[in-house]
Amino acid sequence: MRHILLLFPAALFAALPPPPAFRLPDDAVPLKHKLELAIDPSLATFEGSATIEMDLRKSVSVIWLNGKDLTVREARVEFGGQSWSARVEPAANEFLAVTLESAVGPGRATVAVRYQARLDEKQVLGAYRRKVDGDWYVYTTFTPIEARRAFPCFDEPRFKTPWEISIRAPVGNLAFSNAREMEPVRAPDGWNLIRFATTPPLPAEVVAFAVGPFGVQEGATAGQGTPIRVLTPRTQAAEGKAAALAAADVLPKLEAYAGMPYAFDKLDELAVADSSFGAVENPGLISFLARELLLTPNEETRARLAALRYLEAHEIGHQWFGDLVTQASWADVWLSEGFATWVSEKVMDQEQIPERAHIFAIAERDRIMKVDERPNTRPVRVDVQDREKSKDIYNRRVYDKGASVLLMLEGWLGEDPVREAARAYLQEHRFANASTADFEADLRRASGVDPSGPMHALLDMTGTPRLNARLKCGGRSTEKDIQLELRVSGPGPVPVCWRSANGAKQCTVVDAAREVPLSSCPSWIYFNAGGSGYYRTSWTAEELQALPLADLSAAERLTLVHDLREQKNDRPAAKAALEKLAADHEPEIAAAAKAALK
């Protein structure tokens, strides 16, 4: 039966229809994936068996799966209590066509495919292997569409299923995957069989496995009972101690913000020798480049430890935003990367004095604003229709502008409503998918304000809005003579928040122009309260001269530096303000002001 496919003449099967353009059709929806893998890290290929339970939505004679560079040995389809051999053909270099002699469905079906796949030594796509200190290790990087290189599957974020995985590996190797491993079973052929608990529903791109003679740094049980380990090359386990301690510190902070415990049964951090990403958020088996995760005692400086905690906060934050709740399509990947960037900044803010809140977020926002101002920029939300465009799914705009939109929402709607909306979003879509519209609906319920206009402007359009604000006090004979004139150029509408000598923060949404009546004429106004707004402000000499720099927060002063950078050459008051800010006691502000003066 090993080569049973070769026994069936092609004439028995219908002609193969055209393959999907890029996305799989909705004819079949997966319900569960089961993988049985036999992996020897010293070999360039591995053997696998993939069994996929699915719901056929209509009668079909061809079932389309994702599969790339796989050598299929045989395939069977079960439906209605009967089982048939099937022909499997690769198509368009992205798909496998499982073809039956006659149509089946609608209803429950199972497709089982036995195959061989590569363990690449040069690329970092799919499953690959690297030699470290004389030992071979197998790693995986499936994001965004490379799981199909390791096994037949439904390789899109909208398809989330439980995964049941088992791995056979030669004695002397350990194997890990997303869920906790069961006790290994020793086989008489010198191989161990390691079965893993069935996972909650996951998209294929964050399924992961690793095989090799790993060292294991055991960490504490953190948060609400999650065991933490750091997996390293065999001789480097001690270098994972700092990462294990950092993860134990970060995890409960994220649980507190999310309002729910970590949802997976373990938290392993895997040090990989090579990857196309600095880290990947595979639930239960987060992968990090070894040089980012592992520290010798001499490397444990304050700056390196802070960078490690920030990276871990991002990846562990994904366990809620991206893994527990997954974006419904690649266009909405900001719901994963933007949220993870934002919550990691919130974790880092907890290590700062309150005066320094948001200072890291403001610095990152300035970098992405510079990119957003270029003519060749792209929106945060972009539809993906082919492999070439998939290479740009994880563009920095998705991370940093996405996080900046969330910071803007907090400044405009308030931290409490945004946190309430984020928690509702996680509860409503737990182990499922969600869209930008879903999060907007939660924000609307939590705040009583419709956020869709500003969110559409910043997520679906390019460019950095620019604010011109003028305080008009007139003859002060009536209250109507005192008003704030706000004009925004660029994408809009934009929430604009300000605070003044007269008291509390005020906000309004500006689309092109708006006049806001004031009850009195303040001695000064700062036009980006808290520094949270996604816009640049143009300042007049009078406004700057009246502004009490000592009364501004660190985030506001750093935002002011970024605003004035473009005005220093034609406005002496802007240069004078930058010179004062170059002596600021916060090093990030002083450094940014000095750079702006050059």
Side-chain angles (χ1 to χ4, degrees):
M1 296 292 289
R2 183 172 180 82
H3 300 289
I4 196 167
L5 291 182
L6 302 180
L7 302 177
F8 289 85
L12 293 178
F13 297 91
L16 189 65
F22 183 61
R23 290 183 172 86
L24 290 166
D26 294 324
D27 301 350
V29 175
L31 303 174
K32 183 178 180 180
H33 288 78
K34 180 179 179 180
L35 303 177
E36 297 176 341
L37 311 175
I39 300 174
D40 182 345
S42 68
L43 302 179
T45 61
F46 70 93
E47 302 292 323
S49 174
T51 303
I52 308 173
E53 298 173 19
M54 62 188 68
D55 179 24
L56 299 179
R57 298 291 177 84
K58 66 178 186 178
S59 178
V60 295
S61 58
V62 176
I63 300 171
W64 291 101
L65 306 175
N66 286 118
K68 185 175 177 63
D69 300 332
L70 304 177
T71 302
V72 174
R73 304 298 196 196
E74 64 179 354
R76 296 192 70 81
V77 174
E78 293 183 8
F79 180 83
Q82 293 184 297
S83 176
W84 299 273
S85 294
R87 186 179 69 191
V88 179
E89 295 181 73
N93 207 31
E94 302 287 346
F95 305 100
L96 296 176
V98 181
T99 307
L100 292 165
E101 189 175 345
S102 59
V104 298
R108 295 289 183 93
T110 299
V111 174
V113 181
R114 194 162 57 80
Y115 66 96
Q116 183 185 74
R118 301 175 187 173
L119 291 174
D120 207 294
E121 294 179 42
K122 296 181 180 179
Q123 298 190 93
V124 286
L125 303 171
Y128 55 99
R129 66 181 189 141
R130 292 293 187 273
K131 183 176 276 191
V132 181
D133 295 333
D135 296 320
W136 283 105
Y137 296 86
V138 170
Y139 310 109
T140 59
T141 300
F142 293 156
T143 302
I145 59 169
E146 308 302 349
R148 63 192 68 180
R149 294 177 183 267
F151 40 77
C153 60
F154 286 72
D155 196 9
E156 296 181 32
R158 64 191 172 110
F159 297 122
K160 295 182 74 171
T161 77
W163 292 74
E164 183 181 326
I165 299 173
S166 62
I167 297 176
R168 293 180 67 248
V171 171
N173 292 277
L174 301 177
F176 302 93
S177 189
N178 302 89
R180 69 184 186 279
E181 60 269 20
M182 308 301 185
E183 198 67 32
V185 177
R186 178 72 64 88
D189 59 0
W191 288 53
N192 284 336
L193 171 63
I194 303 95
R195 297 188 184 279
F196 301 91
T198 302
T199 72
L202 299 176
E205 69 173 296
V206 293
V207 170
F209 56 82
V211 180
F214 290 100
V216 179
Q217 175 68 50
E218 298 281 353
T221 297
Q224 298 192 30
T226 301
I228 292 175
R229 299 181 299 189
V230 178
L231 313 177
T232 75
R234 179 172 52 84
T235 59
Q236 295 176 256
E239 295 174 25
K241 183 177 180 180
L245 291 171
D249 178 60
V250 164
L251 180 63
K253 294 176 181 177
L254 289 164
E255 287 182 330
Y257 187 82
M260 64 174 66
Y262 175 79
F264 305 97
D265 62 15
K266 68 180 177 75
L267 177 54
D268 288 343
E269 297 188 326
L270 172 66
V272 301
D274 198 6
S275 175
S276 51
F277 301 96
V280 179
E281 64 272 15
N282 313 309
L285 187 62
I286 305 174
S287 65
F288 298 81
L289 278 172
R291 64 175 179 267
E292 303 289 344
L293 185 69
L294 306 182
L295 299 179
T296 65
N298 291 336
E299 293 173 319
E300 291 183 17
T301 64
R302 185 175 180 179
R304 282 296 307 275
L305 290 171
L308 175 61
R309 287 194 302 277
Y310 179 67
L311 179 60
E312 287 193 305
H314 182 102
E315 299 306 326
I316 298 174
H318 269 305
Q319 306 303 294
W320 287 268
F321 300 102
D323 293 344
L324 180 70
V325 180
T326 303
Q327 65 275 9
S329 72
W330 289 299
D332 274 335
V333 76
W334 82 278
L335 292 170
S336 174
E337 297 299 348
F339 268 82
T341 302
W342 172 64
V343 294
S344 62
E345 290 164 351
K346 295 184 80 65
V347 168
M348 297 308 292
D349 276 348
Q350 293 182 36
E351 301 184 8
Q352 307 292 316
I353 59 174
E355 154 67 15
R356 286 175 53 81
H358 305 317
I359 201 161
F360 297 110
I362 301 304
E364 287 193 350
R365 184 188 63 201
D366 181 61
R367 287 190 285 271
I368 205 62
M369 276 183 166
K370 290 177 183 176
V371 174
D372 212 17
E373 291 160 0
R374 296 172 185 168
N376 62 341
T377 190
R378 53 151 275 192
V380 172
R381 299 180 73 246
V382 175
D383 197 19
V384 175
Q385 295 291 350
D386 54 50
R387 172 167 283 274
E388 188 60 32
K389 288 183 180 177
S390 78
K391 297 176 183 177
D392 197 38
I393 287 173
Y394 292 94
N395 188 290
R396 284 309 309 180
R397 295 161 185 80
V398 171
Y399 295 70
D400 297 336
K401 191 173 180 181
S404 296
V405 168
L406 291 163
L407 179 65
M408 173 207 75
L409 291 169
E410 276 194 323
W412 171 36
L413 303 176
E415 288 194 35
D416 289 345
V418 171
R419 181 174 59 247
E420 181 183 337
R423 289 178 174 181
Y425 167 87
L426 292 172
Q427 288 286 0
E428 292 163 7
H429 307 287
R430 181 180 174 86
F431 293 123
N433 297 90
S435 66
T436 296
D438 291 323
F439 183 56
E440 287 173 354
D442 288 316
L443 284 168
R444 194 176 300 113
R445 283 190 290 270
S447 68
V449 176
D450 182 4
S452 57
M455 289 179 69
H456 168 74
L458 294 181
L459 296 172
D460 299 339
M461 303 180 193
T462 61
T464 300
R466 294 180 178 272
L467 172 69
N468 281 278
R470 300 294 176 263
L471 176 62
K472 300 172 70 175
C473 289
R476 306 188 187 186
S477 57
T478 68
E479 288 188 1
K480 292 183 179 179
D481 292 326
I482 305 171
Q483 55 186 308
L484 190 60
E485 184 181 273
L486 304 170
R487 296 184 181 277
V488 172
S489 58
V494 178
V496 174
C497 297
W498 66 93
R499 65 184 190 92
S500 70
N502 288 356
K505 179 178 74 175
Q506 293 178 266
C507 297
T508 191
V509 176
V510 182
D511 192 353
R514 184 160 191 166
E515 292 184 346
V516 181
L518 303 178
S519 59
S520 62
C521 190
S523 58
W524 60 268
I525 294 185
Y526 184 77
F527 297 110
N528 195 339
S532 61
Y534 192 85
Y535 52 86
R536 305 278 196 201
T537 302
S538 296
W539 292 86
T540 67
E542 294 78 8
E543 291 162 348
L544 280 174
Q545 289 164 358
L547 201 59
L549 297 180
D551 291 348
L552 304 183
S553 70
E556 290 171 337
R557 298 198 304 279
L558 186 56
T559 298
L560 182 62
V561 169
H562 299 154
D563 288 340
L564 298 180
R565 183 176 53 217
E566 302 169 26
Q567 299 180 227
K568 68 179 188 299
N569 293 328
D570 59 302
R571 298 188 184 178
K575 184 177 181 181
L578 284 171
E579 288 171 345
K580 291 179 183 178
L581 291 163
D584 198 279
H585 63 278
E586 297 293 353
E588 295 90 347
I589 297 170
K594 289 173 183 175
L597 286 166
K598 291 181 180 178

